[in-house]
């Protein structure tokens, strides 16, 4: 769900003879909508898509839609938050492809636990890695088959740990015993 909050977005006021202008502080409306279109393709628990997006003048905000929580299968809302995290990741990847780096503020409002993130923007060049990742978003499919029972190669574990840490998420290798 996309909801615009606050005063009129700056892209509505920033016009020239050539049409809408992109600000140095915030992408234009089409860019934000394009990034959101990729974000909402994120996997979610039982395909609930438990997120709400609000677009402000200079920021985009992600909220958990707790009305879509699954009290019997996800009583602690862990899967709901993981689903929102996947959507947030997809949004950040898409923004980078469109030439914007994101600065994310986790849980920006302690008074509102559903407000999961506030995202600010800085102009940045797209990268080959971001393009590769955005293409993967459009090809992603849910696979509900059982996990393989074999051991995961150390190189794969290291890649998973590195990917998490690159996004500010502590990841540790837990060996089964």
């Amino acid at each position: 769900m996309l909801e615009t909050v606050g005063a009129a977005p700056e892209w509505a006021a920033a016009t020239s003879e050539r049409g809408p202008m992109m600000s140095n502080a915030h992408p234009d409306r089409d860019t934000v909508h394009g990034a959101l279109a990729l974000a909402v393709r994120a996997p979610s628990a039982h395909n609930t898509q438990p997120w709400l997006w609000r677009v402000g003048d200079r920021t985009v905000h992600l909220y958990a839609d707790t009305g879509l929580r699954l009290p019997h299968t996800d009583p602690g809302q862990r899967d709901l938050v993981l689903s929102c995290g996947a959507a947030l990741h997809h949004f950040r990847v898409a923004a980078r492809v469109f030439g914007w780096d994101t600065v994310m503020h986790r849980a920006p409002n302690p008074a509102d636990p559903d407000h999961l993130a506030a995202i600010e923007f800085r102009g940045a060049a797209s990268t080959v890695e971001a393009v590769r990742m955005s293409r993967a978003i459009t090809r992603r499919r849910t696979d509900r088959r059982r996990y393989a029972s074999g051991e995961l190669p150390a190189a794969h574990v290291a890649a998973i740990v590195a990917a998490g840490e690159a996004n500010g998420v502590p990841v540790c290798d837990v060996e089964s015993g």
Side-chain angles (χ1 to χ4, degrees):
M1 177 176 180
L2 176 66
E3 179 179 331
T4 302
V5 296
E10 71 181 66
W11 63 74
T15 59
S16 73
E17 296 171 8
R18 295 183 310 257
M21 296 185 326
M22 191 178 316
S23 161
N24 288 332
H26 195 279
D28 62 39
R29 181 181 180 160
D30 290 340
T31 301
V32 171
H33 282 233
L36 288 171
L38 279 180
V40 300
R41 294 183 68 141
S44 60
H46 298 282
N47 201 30
T48 54
Q49 300 179 348
W51 46 70
L52 294 170
W53 294 94
R54 293 191 174 136
V55 180
D57 291 344
R58 297 189 178 274
T59 55
V60 173
H61 301 266
L62 172 62
Y63 291 82
D65 185 352
T66 55
L68 296 174
R69 70 184 188 86
L70 303 170
H72 298 290
T73 59
D74 188 25
Q77 298 185 30
R78 179 178 182 272
D79 288 340
L80 181 143
V81 172
L82 284 171
S83 299
C84 290
L88 177 61
H89 175 264
H90 284 20
F91 181 82
R92 295 180 74 202
V93 167
R96 187 58 183 254
V97 168
F98 295 137
W100 293 93
D101 196 13
T102 55
V103 178
M104 182 183 57
H105 305 279
R106 289 186 182 97
N109 182 357
D112 185 356
D114 294 340
H115 191 185
L116 301 177
I119 303 120
E120 296 177 17
F121 301 90
R122 293 196 175 110
S126 182
T127 65
V128 172
E129 178 66 8
V131 171
R132 184 187 66 77
M133 290 173 65
S134 71
R135 287 181 179 153
I137 290 171
T138 63
R139 293 189 306 262
R140 183 205 59 80
R141 300 289 181 266
T142 299
D143 186 347
R144 298 189 188 276
R145 294 178 292 180
R146 297 186 76 162
Y147 294 118
S149 59
E151 190 171 325
L152 195 59
H156 291 172
V157 173
I160 291 168
V161 170
E165 289 174 350
N167 285 285
V169 178
V171 179
C172 62
D173 177 10
V174 179
E175 293 189 30
S176 59

